[in-house]
Amino acid sequence: MDASLLASVSRVCPFLSRSSVSTLRSLSTFPGIAAQQTSQFSSISATSTADATATSALFSAAVRCPVMQKAIAVQGLRRGISSSVSQRHAIAREVDSIQQPSILPISFAHKTKESISKREELDLAGLFPDGIASRTPKKTAKKSAVTHSKPFDYEVFYEEELNKKHEDRSYRYFNNINRLAQAFPTAHTGTGEQVTVWCANDYLGMSKHPVVVDFMKETLDKYGAGAGGTRNIAGNAQLHLSLEKELADLHKKDAALVFSSCYVANDATLSTLASKLPGCVILSDSSNHASMIQGIRHSGAAKKVFRHNDMAHLEELLQSIDINTPKIIAFESVYSMCGSIGPIKEIAKLARRYNALTFLDEVHAVGMYGHHGAGVAEHINAMDDIDIITGTLGKAYGVVGGYIAGSTKFVDLIRSYAPGFIFTTSLPPPVVGGALSSIRYLKKSQTERYGQQLNTFKLKDRLEKLGIPVVPNPSHIIPVLIGDAETAKSVSDELLTRYHIYVQSINYPTVPKGEERLRITPTPGHTKELMDKLVDALCNIWEERGLKKVTDWEQEGGRAGVGMGKAVKQLVDYKVLEAVCIAPAA
């Protein structure tokens, strides 16, 4: 055998790599297993070298190899060695009499699988009466645990799932509402009828502000409508980098990273970070947003849920975890459906004591609180106490998108590992430009956020005096408790059709069953006249329908904070508002 050929083949074949030339020579002259057991090969011509070695120990070793056994078969067909049925059966018995190796090197096994599939594609199964496939070990297909008498009906399944939503009154209806930029907060419905919007998250009306709109138009003309790809492929423009620098400065962090939405930001960040931290445990507030809950699920990390804003319960859970185990405390500043505010300083203190990271969602607070609009953490001077801050560009800032802010290495970790960032087309240049201009404007202007807070204070005060059941809270959210899903939807519909006022009803699973509500969000653009119409409409509906007021809820023991004797002070002081606010017409 040529030495160079042997050396080349030995690198691929585990058998040859372990066998010396002298061993191979001896095997070629020693009788093989089949030769000792049967004379089926006796009629094969001995004049051919291949024929001479067909009964040798080397041949027996070769047929043990999943690759060589097929090669031998192919050569046999070409030379006419196995032309008869009896000879084919002899080869079959030779192969079957030898146990196949159970373990092969990965690279070798891969080549074997590929080789077998190629042989089958070339229709060489005719070598055996019942085909090569029958001689090749196969995985037995698992029988289905469920046997259906007829094919699964997908459409019926969809209908059944939707019926569940209809039955428990949690089915969501989307109203056709088209907000008019030049007539904020007015919109028109699908029929063209004009209504006043009282539930938008465009809290400050920045979506129609000239500073934002004009810059977006300029950017659109200059850079076009789309980003052109992911951040890694043509979608990483100077605008994106400038926006991230502006956001890092806003929250006094080293770095920031922009996402397509804050839902994606929360999901991607929590799932990536918690999956990377060894043995991580996440402690989550029971009222956290769905995006955070989803991120925790996707991380696969252990989770402990503490009662809403309950610091004693949080500390109890922290004490149950080893001090050296990585931990993340995930919570929000403003909880959007009830309006409560997270105890940021208290949570940060516990995090330091028990060696945990803090993850603060400021989605409903950025632009709204703090001297520069950085959120509640800035308002109470606690930004330095928080490790990770997430926020949105789609509420107070008036456009769309989300972001995270934190240390340089943390942000780079998420940038490098989070699929939700890496594989998503980046925000369009006009959107990024609009967000950038909105943030810069609200860093300096107090007028919009103070105007919003003033209108919130006035509306809460008026509803409280009339006994309309507002869920007590210190923020800019005004949840009006109804307590029944069907009734909440019906009241929302009546406000829209009868009074031309749009206030969306909020049902389970966004809020617990029995705590269904209307969610009202005043803006600086809601005048006294508009507020009068809203208050009158609510009073009429409550009286005509006999809906529960605060005293009624009190007699039942209270619900969702209503009728439970809670007196909540507003986060932003009314006297401060009067002193510094350039108030809207009210």
Side-chain angles (χ1 to χ4, degrees):
M1 181 180 289
D2 183 74
S4 62
L5 176 61
L6 179 61
S8 176
V9 174
S10 296
R11 285 194 292 270
V12 178
C13 178
F15 176 79
L16 292 179
S17 65
R18 295 194 305 267
S19 304
S20 64
V21 174
S22 60
T23 299
L24 295 173
R25 185 177 294 111
S26 298
L27 287 171
S28 67
T29 59
F30 195 79
I33 294 175
Q36 299 173 28
Q37 295 178 346
T38 181
S39 61
Q40 288 290 343
F41 294 128
S42 59
S43 62
I44 300 175
S45 173
T47 59
S48 166
T49 303
D51 299 350
T53 58
T55 58
S56 70
L58 183 60
F59 175 81
S60 297
V63 295
R64 289 188 181 95
C65 173
V67 175
M68 288 302 298
Q69 64 177 251
K70 305 301 184 297
I72 292 170
V74 171
Q75 291 300 317
L77 284 176
R78 289 176 178 172
R79 296 173 180 271
I81 295 174
S82 305
S83 57
S84 69
V85 172
S86 62
Q87 289 168 347
R88 292 181 206 146
H89 278 285
I91 296 176
R93 284 195 297 272
E94 178 77 18
V95 173
D96 287 348
S97 66
I98 304 169
Q99 185 177 0
Q100 296 292 332
S102 59
I103 300 176
L104 289 173
I106 293 175
S107 61
F108 187 72
H110 174 74
K111 293 177 183 297
T112 299
K113 181 179 180 182
E114 182 181 17
S115 175
I116 292 172
S117 64
K118 293 294 184 184
R119 296 293 181 268
E120 290 173 342
E121 289 174 5
L122 293 174
D123 194 27
L124 295 177
L127 175 61
F128 299 108
D130 48 356
I132 285 179
S134 66
R135 299 294 175 180
T136 304
K138 284 186 177 181
K139 292 183 179 179
T140 304
K142 293 183 179 179
K143 293 184 179 179
S144 174
V146 180
T147 302
H148 297 283
S149 58
K150 59 182 180 179
F152 188 85
D153 193 322
Y154 295 96
E155 292 299 323
V156 169
F157 171 78
Y158 303 150
E159 184 178 6
E160 290 172 349
E161 291 300 303
L162 290 171
N163 284 339
K164 294 176 185 177
K165 285 286 184 182
H166 287 290
E167 288 169 5
D168 67 9
R169 309 299 181 188
S170 67
Y171 184 80
R172 296 175 186 266
Y173 295 89
F174 297 159
N175 288 306
N176 187 340
I177 302 295
N178 307 274
R179 298 188 310 127
L180 297 168
Q182 302 305 317
F184 180 87
T186 302
H188 69 76
T189 65
T191 61
E193 189 174 26
Q194 291 199 345
V195 298
T196 303
V197 179
W198 276 94
C199 59
N201 287 334
D202 184 11
Y203 296 130
L204 305 180
M206 291 303 294
S207 67
K208 54 82 181 176
H209 199 289
V211 169
V212 175
V213 175
D214 290 347
F215 192 78
M216 291 183 74
K217 289 178 179 178
E218 293 174 15
T219 307
L220 178 63
D221 290 339
K222 186 173 184 179
Y223 296 112
T230 64
R231 291 289 292 273
N232 186 51
I233 305 175
N236 188 53
Q238 182 58 49
L239 279 170
H240 297 84
L241 301 176
S242 297
L243 176 58
E244 289 170 346
K245 183 178 180 180
E246 197 73 39
L247 289 166
D249 178 73
L250 175 68
H251 293 288
K252 304 306 175 190
K253 299 299 180 186
D254 297 333
L257 194 65
V258 173
F259 291 78
S260 55
S261 74
C262 200
Y263 188 104
V264 176
N266 283 347
D267 182 4
T269 301
L270 282 171
S271 61
T272 301
L273 180 61
S275 66
K276 286 293 180 185
L277 291 171
C280 180
V281 178
I282 301 179
L283 298 104
S284 175
D285 189 287
S286 61
S287 293
N288 274 345
H289 188 262
S291 60
M292 301 168 75
I293 295 171
Q294 197 73 347
I296 294 168
R297 286 174 179 164
H298 288 162
S299 73
K303 175 187 68 174
K304 293 180 180 291
V305 179
F306 59 94
R307 291 183 292 272
H308 181 52
N309 283 352
D310 189 331
M311 294 301 94
H313 190 209
L314 173 58
E315 183 164 22
E316 179 185 333
L317 295 176
L318 284 166
Q319 289 172 342
S320 70
I321 307 169
D322 189 285
I323 191 71
N324 293 316
T325 297
K327 296 172 284 292
I328 302 171
I329 305 175
F331 63 110
E332 300 180 39
S333 57
V334 176
Y335 291 84
S336 63
M337 292 301 139
C338 61
S340 61
I341 292 179
I344 297 174
K345 287 187 174 181
E346 291 82 354
I347 290 177
K349 184 177 180 181
L350 289 175
R352 290 192 297 272
R353 182 182 303 168
Y354 294 99
N355 189 31
L357 288 173
T358 47
F359 180 101
L360 174 62
D361 178 313
E362 288 260 33
V363 163
H364 291 272
V366 289
M368 303 291 292
Y369 299 92
H371 187 70
H372 301 94
V376 176
E378 182 190 29
H379 183 82
I380 64 174
N381 194 29
M383 283 197 296
D384 291 342
D385 298 329
I386 302 301
D387 299 299
I388 302 164
I389 293 176
T390 71
T392 184
L393 307 171
K395 293 181 171 56
Y397 291 126
V399 283
V400 68
Y403 64 89
I404 61 172
S407 71
T408 300
K409 290 181 180 178
F410 157 72
V411 169
D412 199 19
L413 176 78
I414 302 304
R415 185 192 69 85
S416 301
Y417 284 96
F421 172 80
I422 297 170
F423 301 107
T424 301
T425 299
S426 61
L427 289 175
V431 170
V432 177
L436 187 59
S437 60
S438 185
I439 293 167
R440 287 172 175 171
Y441 175 82
L442 289 174
K443 273 187 175 182
K444 299 176 181 178
S445 176
Q446 309 299 323
T447 302
E448 289 75 17
R449 51 179 158 267
Y450 283 152
Q452 195 281 333
Q453 289 287 348
L454 186 61
N455 278 349
T456 298
F457 184 92
K458 289 181 178 180
L459 183 54
K460 281 185 176 181
D461 184 60
R462 292 182 65 173
L463 295 178
E464 181 182 348
K465 289 176 180 177
L466 293 168
I468 303 296
V470 174
V471 176
N473 70 79
S475 73
H476 60 282
I477 309 294
I478 305 180
V480 178
L481 180 66
I482 293 179
D484 176 77
E486 189 172 9
T487 304
K489 175 66 170 62
S490 177
V491 170
S492 175
D493 290 343
E494 184 176 356
L495 283 169
L496 186 64
T497 58
R498 180 180 173 187
Y499 296 98
H500 311 298
I501 292 171
Y502 175 49
V503 180
Q504 183 62 40
S505 60
I506 307 297
N507 299 334
Y508 176 84
T510 307
V511 296
K513 292 181 179 180
E515 296 186 12
E516 292 83 2
R517 63 197 65 183
L518 303 177
R519 179 180 179 271
I520 301 172
T521 54
T523 73
H526 284 98
T527 63
K528 181 180 184 300
E529 180 185 6
L530 293 176
M531 192 179 296
D532 289 343
K533 289 181 179 179
L534 173 65
V535 172
D536 290 344
L538 290 173
C539 285
N540 289 342
I541 291 174
W542 249 254
E543 293 297 331
E544 292 171 3
R545 291 173 173 248
L547 299 179
K548 295 175 184 177
K549 293 190 174 183
V550 174
T551 53
D552 299 314
W553 286 112
E554 187 176 356
Q555 291 174 2
E556 295 186 7
R559 187 177 298 178
V562 175
M564 302 175 71
K566 283 187 175 182
V568 180
K569 183 181 178 181
Q570 295 298 291
L571 182 64
V572 179
D573 190 86
Y574 180 69
K575 292 180 180 179
V576 174
L577 292 176
E578 284 191 315
V580 302
C581 180
I582 303 174

